[in-house]
Amino acid sequence: MFFFQDVKWMLMTKYIAPTAAISAIYSAWYGWGKTENHVKIKSIDEAVEFLNHNKETPEALRYISNFDFDRQPRYLKKLSIRSLGILAGVGSEIVRQARVHQCKREDDDFLFQNALSKFDLGPSWKRGVDWLHRSPCLDEDLSCEDWQVWRPTQVERLQRLLQILFIETENQFSPDTVDIYVVDFLFNVFKLFDGDTPEIARLTLRILANVALNGQEYAERIFSTEWLQILGNLVTRGETLEERLIAHKICRNALHTLDSVPYKLPSDVYELHISQGEPVVDIVLIHGLCGSVLYTWRQKDDRTKLISECWPKDWLPLDINDSMRILGVNYPSYLLHSSGAVDSLPQRAERFVKQLSSAGIGSRPVVFICHSMGGLLAKKMLLDSEELRKNTVGVLFIATPHRGSPIAEWGDYNFPFTPSEDVRFLHSKNQQNEKLNQDFGTISKEIPVIASMIETKESDLIATAKGIIVPTESAVFGSGVLYHIDEVHHNVCKPSERTSPTYGVVLNFVRDSIAAAKKRNPSKEIKKAEPQKFNESTVQNDSEEIEPIDH
């Protein structure tokens, strides 16, 4: 049973509940154990036994979720650490009753110098730790003697150290460098800053998602301490989409380490939805310049209506009969040149090919939905990876600048700033982008379904200036169906309703891609989800005008 914290959550059940609550317990375990011939579980002993041995997991979860542990708490003790992790991963209330170990506390929760010093990340790390505690006061406040309060400069320094720790834990690390205590340390930081400084609290969650992949000892420590109950709450009841997605990732990665999930979720990949049954396709969302998996795919803002934080996650499972998995990738990008290290488009493509492979992308047909520069990134990935290309059945380009953007050329006019490498890549005469478009044209016939959405409304630019960011001549790839959408650039990927023309285009595209996937595997038995029915509107394949059609 799932509970909502306030009226806002109750209102959101119209879109959220079918995918994040009702089906969450049963849908996330496809391919785990032998579930082809379901065994009817007759007792709590059988259910616990099956779950502990990763057999008949959906059936065991059904039984356990309806069992009254208050009356017979002894069965809680029989659940393995891995089983408790599975229950946390679906947001089960049962984990609140589980007995867990307390994370080790520092003598002084306000000073982390001793804790940070336990991690051996080299001389620069040690200097950073010393720098963190050089002065607890504001730099200009020389009279300050209060060592029990975190000052702004200290919070900034701690955040930078945590960013270093995040980077160091993205790859496998030695326990001699970052020992098991990191799990407890991250818990203490999370509890201290959750609420007051959410960016630090969420950064600790991202680090924990990395740490969960570093071996059995780390994964079991996460599920045997107070983290278990925090994660079980955040997975379905986190205040933000980011909290829910990262908590899900932590559980998935820890369960992968414990041999319960066949794939992992690297630092830049987020799993947004997974249907019941073996997915027919994997849908990958790629945002554009200055975008994010956390807000690019929001429902179009409208104060009079409920806003979905991620419409592909919330709506597609309701309207597509076939099982699917939806993932999103995230990467930083900027308009202006930054002194920090930022990957180029080819570097991002190389990294994402590896990360998506680790996340299981390529084991079944793949569908890409890309906004703006995300389409260029998808083209580069498909060019670089023959394995990914041969498994791709559909690409939807949403206002993708195949031939650049005139807005990117504003930097040619002696403005007092330097455009970023991403902006320079979008220059209409950029040779790298020209070559990318030409090369992709030679292999595009291998992809059965290609569609393009074109913005037709001018966007607000600088001061009173307006303009089309990606004009038609750049947004048209050269093959596949075209849709002209009456929206500005940043809203062309944000439908306002499930009945809106924009969403109808996406729905038709996904259905066509799934049909193409089935043609490639006609003998494969397809397990279908059971979406909630509604009176849908579809859209004609017309390059000039989009009109809803009532069935």
Side-chain angles (χ1 to χ4, degrees), residues 15 32 56 79 92 101 119 154 164 213 223 243 268-271 327 353-354 366 369 436 440 544:
Y15 293 141
W32 289 22
E56 295 291 341
L79 290 169
S92 173
H101 299 292
F119 308 139
Q154 276 189 297
I164 295 172
L213 292 169
F223 287 150
E243 286 180 344
D268 298 319
V269 179
Y270 294 86
E271 189 170 62
L327 295 94
V353 165
K354 294 177 182 177
V366 184
I369 298 177
L436 174 63
F440 186 75
E544 298 297 328

Side-chain angles (χ1 to χ4, degrees), residues 90-142:
V90 298
S92 173
E93 297 280 347
I94 294 170
V95 297
R96 293 188 179 186
Q97 305 172 49
R99 297 185 64 179
V100 296
H101 299 292
Q102 278 199 339
C103 289
K104 296 177 182 178
R105 265 67 170 179
E106 288 296 306
D107 293 335
D108 186 345
D109 282 340
F110 291 94
L111 297 177
F112 288 106
Q113 185 168 15
N114 292 336
L116 292 166
S117 298
K118 294 178 181 179
F119 308 139
D120 185 12
L121 299 176
S124 60
W125 173 266
K126 292 180 179 178
R127 287 194 298 270
V129 173
D130 292 338
W131 177 56
L132 174 66
H133 294 280
R134 187 185 307 162
S135 171
C137 302
L138 291 170
D139 293 339
E140 65 273 15
D141 188 3
L142 301 180

Side-chain angles (χ1 to χ4, degrees), residues 316-381:
L316 287 178
L318 302 179
D319 303 328
I320 299 294
N321 290 332
D322 297 281
S323 296
M324 72 188 85
R325 191 165 66 122
I326 305 174
L327 295 94
V329 298
N330 211 44
Y331 62 93
S333 56
Y334 308 96
L335 292 174
L336 304 182
H337 178 72
S338 171
S339 58
V342 178
D343 287 344
S344 64
L345 186 138
Q347 289 172 325
R348 287 188 196 120
E350 181 181 4
R351 186 173 81 251
F352 285 147
V353 165
K354 294 177 182 177
Q355 290 200 6
L356 289 173
S357 177
S358 297
I361 297 297
S363 60
R364 64 181 65 85
V366 184
V367 177
F368 286 98
I369 298 177
C370 318
H371 177 240
S372 195
M373 196 172 188
L376 305 183
L377 182 54
K379 291 198 297 185
K380 182 60 176 171
M381 291 164 56

Side-chain angles (χ1 to χ4, degrees), residues 304-322:
T304 65
K305 298 173 185 175
L306 176 69
I307 295 177
S308 168
E309 293 178 287
C310 183
W311 59 263
K313 173 181 75 70
D314 297 336
W315 297 353
L316 287 178
L318 302 179
D319 303 328
I320 299 294
N321 290 332
D322 297 281

